[in-house]
């Protein structure tokens, strides 16, 4: 950990302004990801802006019948909110499938969206990693990549985004609300929020420098049956090899999003047209152009079979 | 006390305290956070500075230069020790690579420096400021690639190769044959407490509060490494937060704490970060095992061959995966072979049941496969091939001199030696009934429960019992309480408790009147903890000292020691009863003795046996494997404390599930290191993975083992578990996985279509 200065911000605008004023500043929320990375000097912020006191910890109903989730709402609180459990069950299920109880008590909505990859080469500063040190190469590409991306990757990086929550939010077409240093606010559709690695895997989201997430909004409920199936080697406290989030309507139509397969939560709207035709058809389109490695080729089968099981269960 | 004739009736047989499931006496200290571990000795060392170990960034090659300027100038830094300024260091006898590397680098994360600073954060930050320039060399990191050039190498339990009869022709002639190859991966001990030490110098005398299983070995190793007399080294290790073999040896934390303290002129404490626990210290080596079994049509084994390949740094040792195959099943014509490939990975060494743990992973799948080929029940197949004598060359009893552990010569053949006790068949029969084995459907893939495919599997458990000298001092205090002192360690196993129980039984006092002090090199030298030898040997040493103390007490109180009975705080003979405390009226009485063994273990093979039963479910869609219930039946001599022994066995079963389903140190064969070097990526079972465990100890006393009539049990519990899981997965799915861990990617392509 490098020495850093610390500030407790009092308002979202002030936090964003401080961030743009001080070079190398970072927000800290639950700290469950950022502090680990600072200890390993993978992140080396010179200034930390604590956003825990911004009052962004409420879940409110929106005029459109959806929910506005404050950026600082803890994963546990979000997962157990009655409205979320009733109308957005897929989100609740995704959250409780993540990490463990202690971490979820501490982890925040914004922090979860912005957590960084678990690629082991990213975590070992002796190894090349384009995400950590642009231009140094990718340790995983020819190395250990069993848990890496099968779709949307590049020659520069094949890491996956590790979040469960974000997969459900992608399924629900959430929007990420932000404020910038100049006070300007914007609303970023979650589809555009996370990026594919391309040649710049170090750039992971659409956020500008110093841009603060204030909330995530969910549009009005979709109804239907909600599923979040997380496939992993051990029964709990493990990142997804693959996860499948789905909402299935009575008529067999629905939505599906995947975790553990790409640099971002993976959803292909066009593939959803195939839902009535079954998992094979949907998967073919969802993972069209997939380029798995020898070690992670099994993920294709996991996606198709897990989706198949979900669709079968939805049919009852 | 020399133990050279089978034990007869002795005070332990009263079983008033010994054999009772009492709570561990160190429990309250641990649950209240007042048991102080090596890194927390603020009480003894209030002013320790912090040392941070820097590991090599390359696996093989040389350091051209280390620029320490920035680190030295960093805030709070007190000293930096590298090979350049450390002075001459020897390599410990039990270490394969040097604990402080440079200029030559022998493996990834070999320690190359310790940075000492006022705070941990300062030391860590400065550690990351070292600029190291390396000359990389290409190393060998692939066990499979090294198989052809691998060389025979002896295992702890005997010679590399054995041969009885003519395996080749017997196997060729066998009407039913199996010839399969199995692999097991490198594994990390992953104990909760990382290696940690606090070191302080007083002139040329060094004290290290450390986390170590073998205190006397450790003293010798520290003295040798630092070129100093043993008398000037003191090791203190009263509490150890898990070891599993990782802490049999002195590692860089202890040596670098000592060197850092010398350089800083101040006590220094060092703990290894998890990444260094994995790549800097020892691990269980990967194996490739070929097993061939030939039988008659009705299932009698006529030929059995087991070859194993593993790798280590040059000068290291192979895994002893073939050792149980020399003893477990009958068969006239047999062979075993052990080959060691030179690899430039971090050094491998013992981990819980080294040898049998990996060997049984392979052998017990092979037995399951063979039973299937024969159309036999796997339990009946094993029972048919039970043997009451050693069919091959058995393991050699360990040397009496713990320092000589690496110098065990090949032993003489011990074929046809009888087992002191062998209840393998009873373990299976008892377990089969308790588990409901009769409900098993032999044809795989037949049982479905909703989304789950259900299967059950079984495997033998086998692990040797080892005898080794162990000493203790027992003191009757003036208030009538008893104090036991021995350098024995309690690595979470319950040593404090069973030692207390032994002294209480022998001296006729309640357990509350016994104080047990462990893990200090100023105490008599014990067996230490490892190889499941600690329980039997260390308590037998306490027994010996108590026998001596009883004689002193009897004499003091005017009893004939042969007639005196010690119970309820009194010494009695005939009509006379005197309070025990009276013997210490004029001052405490202290007795020291050791248990030393004759040749009973040469005349009788001492081993422990068991049977593991496992039910798994496999998700029909995702191929995720979950254990539903487990049962172990163990026959392992007298159980000194059924509660702590049960904890050991169910812990071992849990570790076996890890080996079966998830644990694997992944080797990057280009760079030469274990990639998943944290506990987020090296997965071990969590609570949700272990829903239900059951275990049974068969009644057994083994008069050949010691006056305690006990044997080891903590390693028996892991041996065979992984194979029972793998066999259950096969029974559930019909997919045979021979490469551990058994993960969903190895099954999914072969499962039936979904929906
Ligand atoms: C052992 C372990 C296991 C885990 N397992 C899982 C799992 O299975 N599934 C899963 O989904 N997650 C898992 N996690 C990750 C966990 O969900 C994240 O660590 C957590 O959600 C991060 O939230 P935080 O509030 O602590 O973020 P922080 O660590 O505080 O911040 C993370 C990042 O977000 C930025 N940030 C925070 N708030 C804002 C804001 N309002 N605006 C802009 N930027 C902001 C920070 O600057 C930082 O870059 C695991 C974590 C650990 C340590
Ligand atoms: S996959 Fe991405 S994160 Fe991993 S090493 Fe390659 S560049 Fe780095």
């Amino acid at each position: 950990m490098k020495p850093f200065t610390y500030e407790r911000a009092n308002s979202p605008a002030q936090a964003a302004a401080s961030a743009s004023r001080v070079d190398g500043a970072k927000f800290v929320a639950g700290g469950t990801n950022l502090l680990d990375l600072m200890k390993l000097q993978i992140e080396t912020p010179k200034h930390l802006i604590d956003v825990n006191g911004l009052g962004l910890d409420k879940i409110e109903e929106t005029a459109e019948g959806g929910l506005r989730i404050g950026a600082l709402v803890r994963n546990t609180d979000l997962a157990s909110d009655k409205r979320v459990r009733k109308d957005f069950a897929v989100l609740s299920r995704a959250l409780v499938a993540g990490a463990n109880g202690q971490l979820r008590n501490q982890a925040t909505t914004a922090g979860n969206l912005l957590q960084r990859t678990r690629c082991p080469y990213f975590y070992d500063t002796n190894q090349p990693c384009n995400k950590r040190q642009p231009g140094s190469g990718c340790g995983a590409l020819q190395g250990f990549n069993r848990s890496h991306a099968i779709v949307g990757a590049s020659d520069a990086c094949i890491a996956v985004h590790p979040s469960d929550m974000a997969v459900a939010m992608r399924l629900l077409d959430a929007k990420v609300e932000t404020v910038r240093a100049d006070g300007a606010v914007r609303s970023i559709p979650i589809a555009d929020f996370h990026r594919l690695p391309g040649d710049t895997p170090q750039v992971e989201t659409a956020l500008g420098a110093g841009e603060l997430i204030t909330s995530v909004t969910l549009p009005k409920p979709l109804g239907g049956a909600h599923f979040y199936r997380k496939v992993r080697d051990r029964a709990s406290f493990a990142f997804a090899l693959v996860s499948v989030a789905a909402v299935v309507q009575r008529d067999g139509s629905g939505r599906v999003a995947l975790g553990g397969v790409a640099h971002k939560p993976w959803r292909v709207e066009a593939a959803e047209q195939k839902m009535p035709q079954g998992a094979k058809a949907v998967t073919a389109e969802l993972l069209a152009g997939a380029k798995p490695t020898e070690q992670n080729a099994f993920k294709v089968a996991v996606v198709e079979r897990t989706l198949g099981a979900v669709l079968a269960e939805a049919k009852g | 006390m020399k133990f050279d004739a089978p034990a007869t009736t002795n005070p332990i047989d009263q079983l008033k305290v010994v054999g009772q499931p009492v709570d561990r006496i160190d429990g309250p200290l641990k649950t209240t956070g007042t048991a102080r571990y090596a890194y927390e000795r603020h009480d003894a060392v209030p002013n320790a500075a912090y040392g941070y170990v820097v590991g090599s960034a390359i696996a093989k090659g040389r350091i051209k230069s280390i620029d320490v300027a920035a680190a030295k100038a960093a805030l709070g830094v007190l000293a930096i020790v590298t090979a350049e300024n450390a002075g001459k260091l020897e390599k410990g006898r039990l270490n394969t690579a040097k604990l402080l590397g440079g200029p030559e680098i022998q493996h990834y994360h070999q320690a190359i420096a310790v940075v000492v600073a006022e705070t941990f954060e300062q030391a860590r930050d400065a550690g990351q400021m070292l600029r190291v320039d390396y000359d990389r060399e290409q190393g060998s990191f692939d066990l499979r690639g090294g198989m052809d050039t691998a060389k025979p190498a002896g295992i702890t339990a005997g010679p590399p190769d054995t041969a009885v009869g003519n395996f080749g022709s017997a196997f060729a002639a066998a009407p039913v044959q199996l010839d399969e190859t199995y692999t097991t991966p490198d594994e990390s001990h992953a104990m909760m407490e990382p290696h940690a030490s606090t070191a302080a110098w007083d002139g040329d005398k060094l004290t290290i509060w450390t986390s170590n299983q073998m205190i006397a070995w450790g003293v010798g190793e520290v003295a040798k490494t630092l070129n100093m007399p043993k008398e000037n080294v003191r090791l203190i290790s009263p509490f150890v937060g898990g070891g599993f073999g990782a802490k049999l040896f002195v590692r860089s934390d202890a040596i670098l704490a000592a060197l850092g303290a010398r350089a800083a002129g101040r006590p220094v404490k060092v703990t290894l970060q998890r990444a260094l626990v994995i790549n800097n210290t020892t691990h269980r080596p990967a194996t490739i095992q070929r097993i061939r079994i030939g039988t008659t049509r009705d299932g009698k084994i006529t030929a059995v061959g087991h070859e194993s390949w593993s790798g280590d740094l040059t000068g290291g040792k192979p895994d002893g995966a073939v050792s149980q195959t020399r003893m477990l099943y009958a068969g006239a014509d047999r062979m075993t072979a052990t080959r060691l490939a030179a690899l430039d990975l971090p050094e491998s060494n013992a981990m819980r049941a080294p040898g049998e743990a990996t060997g049984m992973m392979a052998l017990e799948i092979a037995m399951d496969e063979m039973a299937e080929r024969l159309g036999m029940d796997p339990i009946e197949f094993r029972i048919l091939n039970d043997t009451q004598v050693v069919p091959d060359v058995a393991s050699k009893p360990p040397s009496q001199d713990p320092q000589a552990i690496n110098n065990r010569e090949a032993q003489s053949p011990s074929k046809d030696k009888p087992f002191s006790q062998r209840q393998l068949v009873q373990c299976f029969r008892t377990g089969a009934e308790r588990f409901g084995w009769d409900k098993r459907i032999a044809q795989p893939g037949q049982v479905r429960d909703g989304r789950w495919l259900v299967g059950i599997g079984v495997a033998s458990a086998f692990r040797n019992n080892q005898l080794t000298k162990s000493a203790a001092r027992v003191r009757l205090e003036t208030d009538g309480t008893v104090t036991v002192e021995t350098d024995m360690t309690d690595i979470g196993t319950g040593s404090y408790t069973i030692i207390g129980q032994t002294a209480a039984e022998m001296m006729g006092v309640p357990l509350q009147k016994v104080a047990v002090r462990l893990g200090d090199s100023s105490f008599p030298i014990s067996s230490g903890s490892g190889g499941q030898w600690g329980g039997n040997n260390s308590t037998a040493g306490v027994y010996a000292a108590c026998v001596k103390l009883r004689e002193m007490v009897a004499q003091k109180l005017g009893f004939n020691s042969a007639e005196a009975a010690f119970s309820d705080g009194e010494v009695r003979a005939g009509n006379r009863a005197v309070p025990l405390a009276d013997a210490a009226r004029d001052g405490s009485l202290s007795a020291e003795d050791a248990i030393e063994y004759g040749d009973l273990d040469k005349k009788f093979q001492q081993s422990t046996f068991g049977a593991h039963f496992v039910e798994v479910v496999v998700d029909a869609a995702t191929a995720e494997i979950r254990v539903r219930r487990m049962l172990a039946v163990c026959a392992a001599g007298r159980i000194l404390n059924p509660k702590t022994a049960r904890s050991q066995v169910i812990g071992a079963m849990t570790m076996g599930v890890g080996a079966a389903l998830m644990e694997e140190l992944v080797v990057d064969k280009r760079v030469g290191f274990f990639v998943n070097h944290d506990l987020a990526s090296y997965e071990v079972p969590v609570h949700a993975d272990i829903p239900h465990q059951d275990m049974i100890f068969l009644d057994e006393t083994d008069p050949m083992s010691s006056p305690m009539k006990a044997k080891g049990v903590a390693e028996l519990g892991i041996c065979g578990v992984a194979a029972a899981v793998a066999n259950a997965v096969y029974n559930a799915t019909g997919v045979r996985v021979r490469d551990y861990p058994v993960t969903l990617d190895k099954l999914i392509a072969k499962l039936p279509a979904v929906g």
Side-chain angles (χ1 to χ4, degrees):
Chain A
M1 195 175 273
K2 289 274 164 211
F4 57 86
T5 51
Y6 172 87
E7 164 188 7
R8 200 168 285 181
N10 294 321
S11 73
Q14 184 210 337
S18 291
S20 68
R21 199 173 50 239
V22 189
D23 204 30
K26 278 228 143 212
F27 302 117
V28 61
T32 60
N33 190 224
L34 182 59
L35 296 188
D36 281 358
L37 294 169
M38 287 169 65
K39 290 172 192 171
L40 296 165
Q41 298 197 0
I42 294 162
E43 299 260 24
T44 52
K46 295 194 183 69
H47 184 63
L48 278 193
I49 302 161
D50 186 338
V51 295
N52 284 286
L54 299 188
L56 300 174
D57 54 358
K58 290 170 201 63
I59 305 173
E60 300 155 334
E61 282 149 43
T62 64
E64 296 77 44
L67 288 180
R68 172 172 292 106
I69 303 157
L72 271 296
V73 172
R74 307 286 155 177
N75 288 178
T76 299
D77 296 331
L78 182 56
S80 55
D81 184 273
K82 280 213 178 76
R83 294 159 294 185
V84 175
R85 288 175 58 190
K86 179 165 158 287
D87 294 331
F88 306 97
V90 64
L91 176 58
S92 185
R93 288 178 191 152
L95 281 160
V96 297
N100 65 6
Q102 293 93 325
L103 282 160
R104 293 194 298 268
N105 289 343
Q106 182 73 4
T108 65
T109 306
N112 192 319
L113 279 179
L114 292 172
Q115 64 175 297
R116 306 201 66 192
T117 185
R118 292 280 160 177
C119 171
Y121 296 89
F122 174 74
Y123 268 84
D124 187 333
T125 51
N126 292 326
Q127 304 306 323
C129 171
N130 289 324
K131 187 185 280 299
R132 174 168 35 75
Q133 201 183 340
S136 61
C138 170
L141 204 55
Q142 305 295 329
F144 175 52
N145 52 36
R146 175 176 184 259
S147 54
H148 287 66
I150 55 173
V151 67
S154 70
D155 287 344
C157 178
I158 54 169
V160 295
H161 195 272
S163 172
D164 292 298
M165 179 195 82
V167 179
M169 287 182 170
R170 176 71 182 90
L171 186 85
L172 296 169
D173 274 336
K175 287 195 168 72
V176 182
E177 320 278 344
T178 71
V179 55
R180 279 186 279 198
D182 59 5
V185 297
R186 61 170 175 153
S187 174
I188 310 170
I190 192 150
D192 304 331
F193 183 77
H194 293 105
R195 299 169 38 123
L196 290 179
D199 293 334
T200 53
Q202 72 278 16
V203 184
E204 293 170 347
T205 67
L207 289 182
E211 191 168 356
L212 178 83
I213 298 176
T214 50
S215 61
V216 173
T217 54
L218 302 179
K220 70 178 193 325
L222 294 171
H226 288 220
F227 298 87
Y228 190 79
R229 286 295 317 276
K230 181 174 181 180
V231 181
R232 43 187 159 175
D233 290 322
R234 69 178 171 191
S236 176
F237 204 18
F239 291 96
L241 291 167
V242 163
S243 67
V244 174
V247 171
V248 186
Q249 306 296 348
R250 271 180 204 283
D251 62 3
S253 68
R255 296 181 182 185
V256 57
L258 306 176
V261 300
H263 201 253
K264 58 189 285 188
W266 194 250
R267 182 169 167 213
V268 178
E269 276 81 349
E272 291 163 1
Q273 306 307 316
K274 302 261 164 77
M275 295 246 322
Q277 292 166 46
K280 202 179 179 78
V282 179
T283 306
E285 186 127 359
L286 246 180
L287 297 183
K291 274 199 279 178
T293 68
E294 205 177 303
Q295 293 163 35
N296 67 21
F298 73 94
K299 286 189 177 185
V300 176
V302 176
V303 169
E304 185 182 315
R305 297 176 67 95
T306 308
L307 181 59
V310 163
L311 296 183
E313 194 179 331
K315 255 193 215 146
Chain B
M1 172 185 287
K2 186 96 177 177
F3 181 73
D4 49 11
T8 52
T9 303
N10 68 42
I12 297 296
D13 295 324
Q14 302 171 92
L15 299 181
K16 286 186 196 159
V17 196
V18 169
Q20 301 303 316
V22 299
D23 291 346
R24 54 180 72 210
I25 59 179
D26 50 328
L29 289 177
K30 289 183 173 165
T31 49
T32 56
T34 44
R36 289 178 191 269
Y37 291 79
Y39 202 65
E40 306 166 339
R41 297 307 300 265
H42 323 290
D43 57 332
V45 192
N47 61 334
Y50 292 79
Y52 181 82
V53 178
V54 180
S56 165
I58 65 166
K60 189 175 162 71
R62 292 181 75 76
I63 295 175
K64 283 198 282 196
S65 64
I66 306 184
D67 180 355
V68 299
K72 224 171 193 161
L75 196 67
V77 171
L78 301 169
I80 299 174
V81 181
T82 67
E84 259 177 56
N85 65 354
K88 188 168 159 37
L89 300 176
E90 300 291 327
K91 185 180 74 61
R93 293 168 63 162
L94 304 174
N95 297 132
T96 307
K98 288 185 178 172
L99 296 180
L100 179 61
E104 192 204 347
I105 295 298
Q106 295 168 286
H107 63 84
Y108 192 72
H109 275 172
Q110 184 173 28
I112 58 167
V114 61
V115 178
V116 180
E118 291 286 350
T119 71
F120 173 74
E121 288 74 17
Q122 289 169 339
R124 182 174 58 188
D125 184 30
Q128 284 160 299
M129 288 178 198
L130 295 187
R131 289 291 151 258
V132 189
D133 197 8
Y134 298 96
D135 250 342
R136 274 173 205 265
E137 282 170 39
Q138 188 46 48
S140 307
F141 308 118
D142 181 14
L143 175 58
R144 209 165 266 286
M147 281 174 82
D148 291 344
T149 51
K151 303 215 163 45
I155 57 180
T156 313
D161 296 3
T162 59
V164 177
N166 188 333
F167 168 78
S169 52
F171 181 71
V176 187
Q177 296 175 348
L178 170 126
D179 180 354
E180 293 291 353
T181 297
Y182 305 84
T183 64
T184 65
D186 296 282
E187 290 174 7
S188 175
H189 308 84
M191 64 287 168
M192 212 182 307
E193 181 204 25
H195 299 75
S197 294
T198 302
W201 292 89
D202 179 7
D204 54 4
K205 291 197 187 313
L206 170 64
T207 304
I208 307 180
W209 292 261
T210 189
S211 183
N212 193 290
Q213 301 173 222
M214 299 294 295
I215 300 306
W217 290 6
V219 168
E221 292 288 276
V222 169
K224 178 160 192 291
T225 309
L226 298 177
N227 288 299
M228 55 192 289
K230 273 192 197 183
E231 299 69 52
N232 287 351
V233 178
R234 183 166 172 205
L235 255 50
I236 302 177
S237 184
F239 298 106
V240 178
F244 309 118
K247 295 170 180 168
L248 289 168
F249 316 108
V250 168
R251 300 298 315 173
S252 57
D253 57 303
I255 296 302
L256 294 180
L259 292 172
R262 189 151 68 189
R266 199 172 134 177
V268 166
K269 59 181 187 175
V270 171
T271 187
L272 297 183
Q273 52 273 35
R274 185 62 63 178
L276 261 62
V277 170
I278 287 175
N279 277 292
N280 175 277
T281 77
T282 59
H283 65 278
R284 189 202 296 285
T287 65
I288 298 172
Q289 301 178 49
R290 180 186 187 198
I291 295 182
R292 284 173 287 173
I293 303 174
T295 67
T296 61
R297 289 211 189 284
D298 54 5
K300 283 243 180 235
I301 296 177
T302 52
V304 56
H306 192 163
E307 297 153 84
S308 172
W309 290 259
S310 61
D312 200 356
L313 290 166
T314 303
K317 278 190 307 188
D319 187 76
V322 304
S323 48
Q324 73 290 320
T325 307
R326 297 171 182 173
M327 285 176 267
L328 192 48
Y329 301 116
D333 294 281
R334 38 206 313 138
M335 62 83 67
T336 62
T338 306
R339 297 292 175 267
L340 177 64
L343 296 183
D344 299 298
L345 289 170
E347 74 183 73
S348 61
N349 213 318
M351 176 169 147
R352 201 172 202 166
E356 284 95 333
T358 41
M360 295 291 278
M361 286 169 82
L363 178 66
E364 291 300 294
I365 295 186
M367 290 296 284
D368 200 67
E369 295 200 64
M370 200 64 201
E372 190 185 30
R373 282 179 201 193
L374 288 158
M376 282 180 81
D377 179 88
I379 292 179
E380 294 310 319
F381 177 51
R382 288 176 172 90
I383 290 175
L384 181 68
N385 289 292
D386 188 43
T387 172
Q388 293 297 315
V389 297
V390 175
D392 195 339
V393 173
S395 85
K396 180 179 181 257
S399 161
Q400 302 289 308
D401 171 13
Q403 292 298 333
I405 188 158
N406 267 3
N407 296 340
R408 291 178 188 163
E409 339 79 54
Q411 67 195 48
S412 56
S414 48
K415 185 167 147 34
D416 298 334
K417 179 162 96 166
F419 288 93
S420 61
Q421 301 274 342
R422 179 169 164 128
Q423 297 201 68
L424 179 65
V425 172
Q426 292 84 336
C427 289
F428 277 115
R429 296 254 188 258
T430 306
E433 195 182 323
R434 172 87 146 237
F435 197 74
W437 181 254
D438 58 348
K439 295 190 188 68
R440 173 179 182 263
I441 296 171
Q443 193 188 341
Q446 300 303 303
V447 184
R448 183 90 187 231
D449 177 5
R451 61 190 254 221
W452 303 105
L453 306 168
V454 186
I456 61 178
V458 75
S460 297
F462 174 87
R463 173 75 172 146
N464 276 328
N465 182 57
Q466 309 190 56
L467 301 182
T468 190
K469 181 179 172 182
S470 192
R473 182 161 54 226
V474 185
R475 202 163 49 240
L476 179 64
E477 309 287 2
T478 51
D479 62 359
T481 63
V482 175
T483 303
V484 187
E485 291 172 338
T486 162
D487 82 354
M488 179 61 187
T489 47
D490 188 324
I491 62 176
T493 43
S495 312
Y496 276 105
T497 313
I498 56 173
I499 283 174
Q501 287 173 276
T502 303
E505 193 81 73
M506 290 298 290
M507 301 312 297
V509 298
L511 184 55
Q512 297 72 26
K513 296 260 181 199
V514 181
V516 182
R517 300 176 63 198
L518 300 182
D520 186 327
S521 61
S522 65
F523 299 154
I525 296 176
S526 72
S527 61
S529 300
Q532 76 169 13
W533 64 58
N536 178 49
N537 292 294
S538 72
T539 53
V542 173
Y543 172 94
C546 285
V547 168
K548 213 172 200 180
L549 183 60
R550 285 164 61 116
E551 279 162 16
M552 291 168 72
V553 168
Q555 197 178 20
K556 186 96 190 170
L557 298 178
F559 286 96
N560 175 345
S561 73
E563 286 164 14
F566 289 64
S567 67
D568 304 322
E570 291 184 334
V571 187
R572 288 198 199 104
N575 300 333
R576 191 165 158 246
V578 181
L580 175 68
D582 284 8
R585 219 174 359 202
D586 311 329
S588 63
L589 294 181
S590 177
E592 184 175 330
D593 201 3
I595 193 83
E596 290 179 81
Y597 296 94
D599 62 355
L600 280 175
D601 58 345
K602 298 201 179 66
K603 293 189 194 141
F604 296 91
Q605 177 59 37
Q606 297 187 12
S607 303
T608 61
F609 297 88
H612 287 293
F613 295 79
V614 174
E615 178 175 323
V616 303
V617 292
V618 178
D619 187 303
T622 66
E624 286 166 291
I625 305 160
R626 304 289 179 250
V627 170
R628 217 179 234 187
R629 62 193 178 104
M630 311 177 74
L631 164 68
V633 185
C634 299
R638 172 175 282 155
I639 299 304
L640 301 172
N641 179 332
K643 189 169 184 181
T644 52
R646 178 179 186 277
S647 291
Q648 283 301 296
V649 175
I650 64 174
M653 290 157 73
T654 304
M655 215 163 178
V657 170
L661 297 181
M662 59 194 85
E663 291 187 45
E664 175 175 19
L665 288 171
V666 177
V667 181
D668 185 315
K669 292 174 188 145
R670 307 160 305 167
V671 188
F673 76 120
F674 299 127
V675 186
N676 50 339
H677 50 54
D678 60 36
L679 290 182
S681 50
Y682 183 84
E683 291 182 8
V684 298
V686 294
H687 287 289
D689 292 297
I690 311 290
H692 180 81
Q693 291 177 318
D694 187 11
M695 81 131 320
I696 301 170
F697 289 115
L698 295 189
D699 266 340
E700 183 174 301
T701 47
D702 193 333
M704 308 301 172
S705 69
S706 81
M708 304 303 294
K709 305 172 188 173
K711 290 188 286 203
V713 70
E715 298 192 331
L716 176 67
I718 192 174
C719 297
V721 176
V725 173
N727 294 339
V729 170
Y730 176 75
N731 184 240
T733 62
V735 183
R736 186 65 81 179
V737 178
R738 300 186 184 87
D739 300 297
Y740 290 99
V742 183
T743 45
L744 63 96
D745 46 316
K746 296 170 187 170
L747 295 179
I748 194 157
K750 296 173 191 147
L751 292 188
V754 177

